Amino acid sequence: MLSNHGKIPLFSHNEQKLNEIEKFERVVKTYTNVKGALAVQSGTAAIHLALRLLEVRSGDNVFCSTLTSIASASPIIYQGAEPVFIDSDPDTWNMSPVALKKALDEAVRNHRLPKAIIVTHLYGYCGHLEKIKDLSQTYQVPVIEDAAHAFGTLCNGEYCGSRGDFGIFSFGVNKLLSTSNGGMLLSGDSRYIRDARHLASQARELHPFHHHQTTGYNYQMSPILAAIGNGELGKVVDKINKKRNVYHYYQKLIAKEELLNLIPVQEGIVPNYWMTVITIDDVSIYQLYQVYLHLMKQNIEVSFIVKPLHRQPVFEGYTYFSHSEHFSVSDQLFHTALCVPSGVNMTGEEQEEVIAQLKHALELVDNSSLFTN
Ligand SMILES: *Cc1c(COP(=O)(O)O)cnc(C)c1O
């Protein structure tokens, strides 16, 4: 037994593992057409690294979509900075260029421009990214694309994640491309990626001993998960095609329903259709909750959309810029929208059942005196 021990090819083993990470980074870089990519442990870690590279620190502001996961904004807090939340616009549900401009103008007046703008492509659908990029250039504030939902989404012929100064993907459990846990940081500036790689590995210097000029993080992706990513990459196109079919069939099913609307697709955008979301006109949040409960009771797994971050108790007191003076688009969406099942293996009959039950739930809610105020 012992004599075998020396034969275990430890080093080639190691190289094999490293190659999985390099391969994963290379394939994602080629696919999205960006110069630099770093595989990391999570999408959150990727955002954190981007903020650290932009030298976001205490006393700084960072603008952030409000209709997004808390993971978009937590790294702002990790850096000791303050988030400023930006509303959605009604036609794309994504960051409103109108609200963003208001926020930037006020920042100019206060001599406090943000260090970055974090833009989420909600549920795989891209918003007015060109307008946001124009504003970013005018005001000289870098854009971080939170493309955690949007792997494979095209915006005017270019992939989401490749359009900003930085882009991030998440490969978390329920994301379109999943490695169980994981993420990636993208940048057209390979110096940023070189520095991020350094920070992600405890900022260890190239010395024969442990040597550090600064503190970093343990953010490197596990090679085992990169290997999973390499396997999963081959399924992305098929998944997106299936998701698109699911979306389109829902579209057909609700075409004649006056009260029901789908998450919109803008001209020039080819989404990955990660989630199908339906809004119901004229419902109150209480009625929406009744609809939700009815569907769950029928074993139809629906969920509320993300609750706007400016409504989260943890972010109470931070500034929020809404799209319109009269109402907040993100709040309105939260009160009227549900994510409906959109798994790649869904059958047409299952989708018909979802819509039938949704309509049935609306009738029940309509007839219930409990929720009419
Ligand atoms: C999932 C997600 C993230 C973070 O990704 P993790 O890999 O879970 O850290 C960031 N932003 C959005 C919008 C997400 O949904």
Side-chain angles (χ1 to χ4, degrees), residues 41-45 47 68-69 71-72 120 146 148-149 168 170-172 175 181-183 274:
Q41 278 179 10
S42 67
T44 315
I47 298 172
T68 184
S69 151
S72 308
T120 296
D146 182 341
H149 297 174
I168 77 98
S170 163
F171 309 123
K175 302 285 153 83
N181 259 316
W274 178 51

PDB file of all heavy atoms in Angstrom, residues 41-45 47 68-69 71-72 120 146 148-149 168 170-172 175 181-183 274, ligand 1:
ATOM      1  N   GLN A  41     -16.662  32.456  -5.840  1.00  0.00           N
ATOM      2  CA  GLN A  41     -17.560  31.591  -5.079  1.00  0.00           C
ATOM      3  C   GLN A  41     -19.029  31.945  -5.211  1.00  0.00           C
ATOM      4  O   GLN A  41     -19.896  31.128  -4.955  1.00  0.00           O
ATOM      5  CB  GLN A  41     -17.182  31.654  -3.598  1.00  0.00           C
ATOM      6  CG  GLN A  41     -16.033  30.756  -3.256  1.00  0.00           C
ATOM      7  CD  GLN A  41     -15.672  30.851  -1.781  1.00  0.00           C
ATOM      8  OE1 GLN A  41     -16.396  31.454  -0.981  1.00  0.00           O
ATOM      9  NE2 GLN A  41     -14.550  30.276  -1.423  1.00  0.00           N
ATOM     10  N   SER A  42     -19.337  33.183  -5.543  1.00  0.00           N
ATOM     11  CA  SER A  42     -20.740  33.591  -5.638  1.00  0.00           C
ATOM     12  C   SER A  42     -20.852  34.883  -6.427  1.00  0.00           C
ATOM     13  O   SER A  42     -19.856  35.602  -6.619  1.00  0.00           O
ATOM     14  CB  SER A  42     -21.332  33.815  -4.240  1.00  0.00           C
ATOM     15  OG  SER A  42     -20.726  34.942  -3.627  1.00  0.00           O
ATOM     16  N   GLY A  43     -22.073  35.181  -6.827  1.00  0.00           N
ATOM     17  CA  GLY A  43     -22.332  36.454  -7.490  1.00  0.00           C
ATOM     18  C   GLY A  43     -22.090  37.614  -6.537  1.00  0.00           C
ATOM     19  O   GLY A  43     -21.583  38.670  -6.933  1.00  0.00           O
ATOM     20  N   THR A  44     -22.452  37.416  -5.284  1.00  0.00           N
ATOM     21  CA  THR A  44     -22.242  38.456  -4.275  1.00  0.00           C
ATOM     22  C   THR A  44     -20.762  38.791  -4.153  1.00  0.00           C
ATOM     23  O   THR A  44     -20.380  39.969  -4.076  1.00  0.00           O
ATOM     24  CB  THR A  44     -22.774  37.974  -2.898  1.00  0.00           C
ATOM     25  OG1 THR A  44     -24.055  37.381  -3.074  1.00  0.00           O
ATOM     26  CG2 THR A  44     -22.874  39.123  -1.912  1.00  0.00           C
ATOM     27  N   ALA A  45     -19.925  37.758  -4.147  1.00  0.00           N
ATOM     28  CA  ALA A  45     -18.473  37.972  -4.064  1.00  0.00           C
ATOM     29  C   ALA A  45     -17.984  38.770  -5.264  1.00  0.00           C
ATOM     30  O   ALA A  45     -17.126  39.654  -5.136  1.00  0.00           O
ATOM     31  CB  ALA A  45     -17.750  36.623  -3.987  1.00  0.00           C
ATOM     32  N   ILE A  47     -19.674  40.998  -7.018  1.00  0.00           N
ATOM     33  CA  ILE A  47     -20.054  42.419  -6.839  1.00  0.00           C
ATOM     34  C   ILE A  47     -19.129  43.074  -5.811  1.00  0.00           C
ATOM     35  O   ILE A  47     -18.658  44.199  -5.992  1.00  0.00           O
ATOM     36  CB  ILE A  47     -21.529  42.552  -6.397  1.00  0.00           C
ATOM     37  CG1 ILE A  47     -22.458  41.976  -7.462  1.00  0.00           C
ATOM     38  CG2 ILE A  47     -21.882  44.025  -6.121  1.00  0.00           C
ATOM     39  CD1 ILE A  47     -23.919  41.890  -7.039  1.00  0.00           C
ATOM     40  N   THR A  68     -34.541  44.250  -6.926  1.00  0.00           N
ATOM     41  CA  THR A  68     -33.476  43.266  -7.101  1.00  0.00           C
ATOM     42  C   THR A  68     -33.295  42.488  -5.807  1.00  0.00           C
ATOM     43  O   THR A  68     -33.929  42.772  -4.796  1.00  0.00           O
ATOM     44  CB  THR A  68     -32.159  43.965  -7.519  1.00  0.00           C
ATOM     45  OG1 THR A  68     -31.156  42.973  -7.774  1.00  0.00           O
ATOM     46  CG2 THR A  68     -31.635  44.900  -6.443  1.00  0.00           C
ATOM     47  N   SER A  69     -32.420  41.499  -5.865  1.00  0.00           N
ATOM     48  CA  SER A  69     -32.084  40.714  -4.680  1.00  0.00           C
ATOM     49  C   SER A  69     -31.214  41.553  -3.736  1.00  0.00           C
ATOM     50  O   SER A  69     -30.488  42.449  -4.188  1.00  0.00           O
ATOM     51  CB  SER A  69     -31.301  39.486  -5.142  1.00  0.00           C
ATOM     52  OG  SER A  69     -30.413  39.058  -4.156  1.00  0.00           O
ATOM     53  N   ALA A  71     -28.647  40.704  -2.561  1.00  0.00           N
ATOM     54  CA  ALA A  71     -27.247  40.432  -2.902  1.00  0.00           C
ATOM     55  C   ALA A  71     -26.639  41.549  -3.745  1.00  0.00           C
ATOM     56  O   ALA A  71     -25.427  41.740  -3.742  1.00  0.00           O
ATOM     57  CB  ALA A  71     -27.133  39.108  -3.641  1.00  0.00           C
ATOM     58  N   SER A  72     -27.478  42.302  -4.470  1.00  0.00           N
ATOM     59  CA  SER A  72     -26.952  43.414  -5.265  1.00  0.00           C
ATOM     60  C   SER A  72     -26.409  44.506  -4.351  1.00  0.00           C
ATOM     61  O   SER A  72     -25.448  45.183  -4.702  1.00  0.00           O
ATOM     62  CB  SER A  72     -28.044  44.038  -6.139  1.00  0.00           C
ATOM     63  OG  SER A  72     -28.710  43.078  -6.903  1.00  0.00           O
ATOM     64  N   THR A 120     -29.387  45.890 -12.207  1.00  0.00           N
ATOM     65  CA  THR A 120     -29.804  44.481 -12.305  1.00  0.00           C
ATOM     66  C   THR A 120     -30.670  44.269 -13.546  1.00  0.00           C
ATOM     67  O   THR A 120     -31.512  45.105 -13.857  1.00  0.00           O
ATOM     68  CB  THR A 120     -30.609  44.092 -11.049  1.00  0.00           C
ATOM     69  OG1 THR A 120     -29.749  44.183  -9.920  1.00  0.00           O
ATOM     70  CG2 THR A 120     -31.155  42.672 -11.145  1.00  0.00           C
ATOM     71  N   ASP A 146     -25.392  43.834 -12.844  1.00  0.00           N
ATOM     72  CA  ASP A 146     -25.722  42.633 -12.085  1.00  0.00           C
ATOM     73  C   ASP A 146     -26.527  41.728 -13.022  1.00  0.00           C
ATOM     74  O   ASP A 146     -27.743  41.859 -13.144  1.00  0.00           O
ATOM     75  CB  ASP A 146     -26.517  42.994 -10.828  1.00  0.00           C
ATOM     76  CG  ASP A 146     -26.847  41.769  -9.992  1.00  0.00           C
ATOM     77  OD1 ASP A 146     -26.784  40.647 -10.535  1.00  0.00           O
ATOM     78  OD2 ASP A 146     -27.180  41.932  -8.797  1.00  0.00           O
ATOM     79  N   ALA A 148     -26.834  38.547 -12.722  1.00  0.00           N
ATOM     80  CA  ALA A 148     -27.030  37.279 -12.009  1.00  0.00           C
ATOM     81  C   ALA A 148     -28.179  36.473 -12.613  1.00  0.00           C
ATOM     82  O   ALA A 148     -28.147  35.244 -12.640  1.00  0.00           O
ATOM     83  CB  ALA A 148     -27.304  37.543 -10.526  1.00  0.00           C
ATOM     84  N   HIS A 149     -29.218  37.184 -13.103  1.00  0.00           N
ATOM     85  CA  HIS A 149     -30.385  36.504 -13.679  1.00  0.00           C
ATOM     86  C   HIS A 149     -30.245  36.330 -15.186  1.00  0.00           C
ATOM     87  O   HIS A 149     -31.100  35.717 -15.794  1.00  0.00           O
ATOM     88  CB  HIS A 149     -31.652  37.347 -13.470  1.00  0.00           C
ATOM     89  CG  HIS A 149     -32.025  37.552 -12.040  1.00  0.00           C
ATOM     90  ND1 HIS A 149     -33.065  38.376 -11.663  1.00  0.00           N
ATOM     91  CD2 HIS A 149     -31.518  37.058 -10.890  1.00  0.00           C
ATOM     92  CE1 HIS A 149     -33.180  38.373 -10.349  1.00  0.00           C
ATOM     93  NE2 HIS A 149     -32.247  37.593  -9.852  1.00  0.00           N
ATOM     94  N   ILE A 168     -21.386  40.933 -13.625  1.00  0.00           N
ATOM     95  CA  ILE A 168     -21.288  39.768 -12.739  1.00  0.00           C
ATOM     96  C   ILE A 168     -22.365  38.750 -13.116  1.00  0.00           C
ATOM     97  O   ILE A 168     -23.465  39.098 -13.521  1.00  0.00           O
ATOM     98  CB  ILE A 168     -21.392  40.139 -11.233  1.00  0.00           C
ATOM     99  CG1 ILE A 168     -22.852  40.439 -10.811  1.00  0.00           C
ATOM    100  CG2 ILE A 168     -20.484  41.290 -10.845  1.00  0.00           C
ATOM    101  CD1 ILE A 168     -23.539  39.267 -10.144  1.00  0.00           C
ATOM    102  N   SER A 170     -24.200  35.080 -11.487  1.00  0.00           N
ATOM    103  CA  SER A 170     -24.303  34.151 -10.363  1.00  0.00           C
ATOM    104  C   SER A 170     -24.611  32.786 -10.932  1.00  0.00           C
ATOM    105  O   SER A 170     -25.396  32.665 -11.876  1.00  0.00           O
ATOM    106  CB  SER A 170     -25.430  34.568  -9.419  1.00  0.00           C
ATOM    107  OG  SER A 170     -25.766  33.471  -8.577  1.00  0.00           O
ATOM    108  N   PHE A 171     -23.953  31.770 -10.363  1.00  0.00           N
ATOM    109  CA  PHE A 171     -24.264  30.391 -10.745  1.00  0.00           C
ATOM    110  C   PHE A 171     -24.861  29.657  -9.541  1.00  0.00           C
ATOM    111  O   PHE A 171     -24.604  28.491  -9.292  1.00  0.00           O
ATOM    112  CB  PHE A 171     -23.011  29.670 -11.261  1.00  0.00           C
ATOM    113  CG  PHE A 171     -22.276  30.451 -12.336  1.00  0.00           C
ATOM    114  CD1 PHE A 171     -20.940  30.787 -12.172  1.00  0.00           C
ATOM    115  CD2 PHE A 171     -22.931  30.855 -13.488  1.00  0.00           C
ATOM    116  CE1 PHE A 171     -20.257  31.502 -13.152  1.00  0.00           C
ATOM    117  CE2 PHE A 171     -22.267  31.581 -14.473  1.00  0.00           C
ATOM    118  CZ  PHE A 171     -20.927  31.909 -14.302  1.00  0.00           C
ATOM    119  N   GLY A 172     -25.633  30.407  -8.751  1.00  0.00           N
ATOM    120  CA  GLY A 172     -26.286  29.854  -7.562  1.00  0.00           C
ATOM    121  C   GLY A 172     -27.319  28.796  -7.913  1.00  0.00           C
ATOM    122  O   GLY A 172     -27.652  28.611  -9.081  1.00  0.00           O
ATOM    123  N   LYS A 175     -30.267  29.499 -10.383  1.00  0.00           N
ATOM    124  CA  LYS A 175     -30.015  30.350 -11.543  1.00  0.00           C
ATOM    125  C   LYS A 175     -30.017  29.513 -12.837  1.00  0.00           C
ATOM    126  O   LYS A 175     -29.879  28.296 -12.782  1.00  0.00           O
ATOM    127  CB  LYS A 175     -28.687  31.107 -11.378  1.00  0.00           C
ATOM    128  CG  LYS A 175     -28.635  31.982 -10.116  1.00  0.00           C
ATOM    129  CD  LYS A 175     -29.468  33.259 -10.232  1.00  0.00           C
ATOM    130  CE  LYS A 175     -29.957  33.790  -8.918  1.00  0.00           C
ATOM    131  NZ  LYS A 175     -29.044  34.607  -8.158  1.00  0.00           N
ATOM    132  N   ASN A 181     -23.187  26.640  -6.390  1.00  0.00           N
ATOM    133  CA  ASN A 181     -22.767  27.918  -5.819  1.00  0.00           C
ATOM    134  C   ASN A 181     -21.655  28.431  -6.706  1.00  0.00           C
ATOM    135  O   ASN A 181     -20.765  27.669  -7.055  1.00  0.00           O
ATOM    136  CB  ASN A 181     -22.199  27.736  -4.416  1.00  0.00           C
ATOM    137  CG  ASN A 181     -23.201  28.109  -3.352  1.00  0.00           C
ATOM    138  OD1 ASN A 181     -23.881  29.125  -3.471  1.00  0.00           O
ATOM    139  ND2 ASN A 181     -23.312  27.277  -2.344  1.00  0.00           N
ATOM    140  N   GLY A 182     -21.704  29.703  -7.010  1.00  0.00           N
ATOM    141  CA  GLY A 182     -20.618  30.228  -7.828  1.00  0.00           C
ATOM    142  C   GLY A 182     -20.997  31.538  -8.472  1.00  0.00           C
ATOM    143  O   GLY A 182     -22.157  31.961  -8.421  1.00  0.00           O
ATOM    144  N   GLY A 183     -20.004  32.172  -9.024  1.00  0.00           N
ATOM    145  CA  GLY A 183     -20.252  33.437  -9.698  1.00  0.00           C
ATOM    146  C   GLY A 183     -19.079  33.786 -10.585  1.00  0.00           C
ATOM    147  O   GLY A 183     -18.067  33.068 -10.610  1.00  0.00           O
ATOM    148  N   TRP A 274     -35.544  33.647 -17.991  1.00  0.00           N
ATOM    149  CA  TRP A 274     -35.292  32.824 -16.791  1.00  0.00           C
ATOM    150  C   TRP A 274     -36.558  32.622 -15.972  1.00  0.00           C
ATOM    151  O   TRP A 274     -36.862  31.519 -15.519  1.00  0.00           O
ATOM    152  CB  TRP A 274     -34.198  33.479 -15.935  1.00  0.00           C
ATOM    153  CG  TRP A 274     -33.905  32.737 -14.673  1.00  0.00           C
ATOM    154  CD1 TRP A 274     -33.637  31.406 -14.557  1.00  0.00           C
ATOM    155  CD2 TRP A 274     -33.860  33.272 -13.351  1.00  0.00           C
ATOM    156  NE1 TRP A 274     -33.418  31.081 -13.242  1.00  0.00           N
ATOM    157  CE2 TRP A 274     -33.550  32.205 -12.497  1.00  0.00           C
ATOM    158  CE3 TRP A 274     -34.034  34.554 -12.821  1.00  0.00           C
ATOM    159  CZ2 TRP A 274     -33.427  32.382 -11.109  1.00  0.00           C
ATOM    160  CZ3 TRP A 274     -33.903  34.734 -11.457  1.00  0.00           C
ATOM    161  CH2 TRP A 274     -33.601  33.651 -10.617  1.00  0.00           C
TER     162      TRP A 274
HETATM  163  C1  LIG B   1     -28.569  35.505  -6.963  1.00  0.00           C
HETATM  164  C2  LIG B   1     -28.315  36.958  -7.132  1.00  0.00           C
HETATM  165  C3  LIG B   1     -27.094  37.573  -6.805  1.00  0.00           C
HETATM  166  C4  LIG B   1     -25.999  36.930  -6.033  1.00  0.00           C
HETATM  167  O1  LIG B   1     -25.613  35.738  -6.414  1.00  0.00           O
HETATM  168  P1  LIG B   1     -25.104  34.635  -5.352  1.00  0.00           P
HETATM  169  O2  LIG B   1     -24.364  33.726  -6.257  1.00  0.00           O
HETATM  170  O3  LIG B   1     -26.323  34.052  -4.738  1.00  0.00           O
HETATM  171  O4  LIG B   1     -24.228  35.320  -4.380  1.00  0.00           O
HETATM  172  C5  LIG B   1     -26.911  38.897  -7.110  1.00  0.00           C
HETATM  173  N1  LIG B   1     -27.869  39.613  -7.681  1.00  0.00           N
HETATM  174  C6  LIG B   1     -29.059  39.085  -7.997  1.00  0.00           C
HETATM  175  C7  LIG B   1     -30.071  39.946  -8.658  1.00  0.00           C
HETATM  176  C8  LIG B   1     -29.328  37.743  -7.703  1.00  0.00           C
HETATM  177  O5  LIG B   1     -30.542  37.244  -7.956  1.00  0.00           O
END
